[in-house]
Amino acid sequence: MTDALTLLRTRKSPKVFDLAAPGPSPTELDQILAIASRVPDHGKLAPWRFIVFEGDGRARAGEIIAGVFVNDNPEADADRVAIERNRLMHAPLVVAVVSRADAHAKVPEWEQTLSGGAAATLVVLAAHALGYAATWLTQWYSYDPRVRAGLGLGEGERIIGFVHVGTLARPQEDRPRPPLADIVTRF
């Protein structure tokens, strides 16, 4: 296991096309999700949940995504429809982080949504700690209510992101990061 600071310094988001099998084992996936559930959570509301897509589940979800796409784009050619159908097929595991933030007397919805974003971040970091690579994506289908319903989300639930997890198929170069002088101010 990588020490914490090295882990944080070396995390990067590869292209989803560069993720391959193997993915996390069932025990490793349980570790990832247990770690992700340890985020700050004002009021202990757990205003998020996880949907795991692996094996045939990725293809079934892809059919839902492609069906909505074809409904909106009936003139799309087969290659374009295949892109939509294969959205969740590149990595062996995809975890959707779902926000179920709702009105609460003491905890603003914004804080609940941020807790879900933190959960997605911990999915990415826990996967990295276990030696996998992960990429957090949204895309159009994250925001489409028909896709959300097809994936089993309730009326008030939203997708924070799809975290694609697998093994790197090739080494990744790090992208430039902003200089601290450009992003830090002191008050």
Side-chain angles (χ1 to χ4, degrees):
M1 180 169 318
T2 308
D3 76 82
L5 290 177
T6 300
L7 172 83
L8 295 170
R9 250 192 315 271
T10 59
R11 192 226 55 88
K12 51 189 158 226
S13 298
K15 290 180 174 36
V16 70
F17 303 106
D18 291 334
L19 296 173
S25 69
T27 300
E28 290 171 323
L29 176 58
D30 285 349
Q31 285 181 301
I32 290 168
L33 297 177
I35 288 167
S37 71
R38 296 183 60 85
V39 297
D41 176 10
H42 185 183
K44 300 178 188 146
L45 301 175
W48 30 257
R49 66 184 182 94
F50 308 107
I51 303 173
V52 175
F53 300 93
E54 54 192 347
D56 292 342
R58 296 172 305 144
R60 289 193 316 273
E63 290 301 326
I64 293 166
I65 293 167
V68 170
F69 178 79
V70 167
N71 184 65
D72 291 351
N73 302 279
E75 75 293 343
D77 65 27
D79 290 341
R80 185 65 176 92
V81 174
I83 289 170
E84 300 306 327
R85 183 174 287 113
N86 291 315
R87 289 288 189 170
L88 304 185
M89 295 300 293
H90 303 291
L93 170 70
V94 180
V95 176
V97 180
V98 177
S99 172
R100 49 187 187 188
D102 200 5
H104 188 276
K106 294 183 180 178
V107 184
E109 285 184 52
W110 176 240
E111 286 185 23
Q112 296 174 54
T113 302
L114 291 173
S115 181
T121 299
L122 285 188
V123 170
V124 170
L125 288 171
H128 181 51
L130 289 169
Y132 299 100
T135 297
W136 172 356
L137 299 174
T138 50
Q139 303 288 337
W140 69 268
Y141 48 91
S142 298
Y143 306 102
D144 190 287
R146 297 163 296 174
V147 173
R148 291 194 314 257
L151 297 178
L153 275 71
E155 185 66 32
E157 292 183 316
R158 294 179 296 171
I159 294 172
I160 290 175
F162 291 92
V163 182
H164 301 251
V165 183
T167 300
L168 282 177
R170 64 181 186 84
Q172 301 290 301
E173 299 215 7
D174 202 3
R175 68 174 171 82
R177 305 297 171 159
L180 291 181
D182 292 349
I183 60 172
V184 177
T185 56
R186 300 210 190 289
F187 187 77

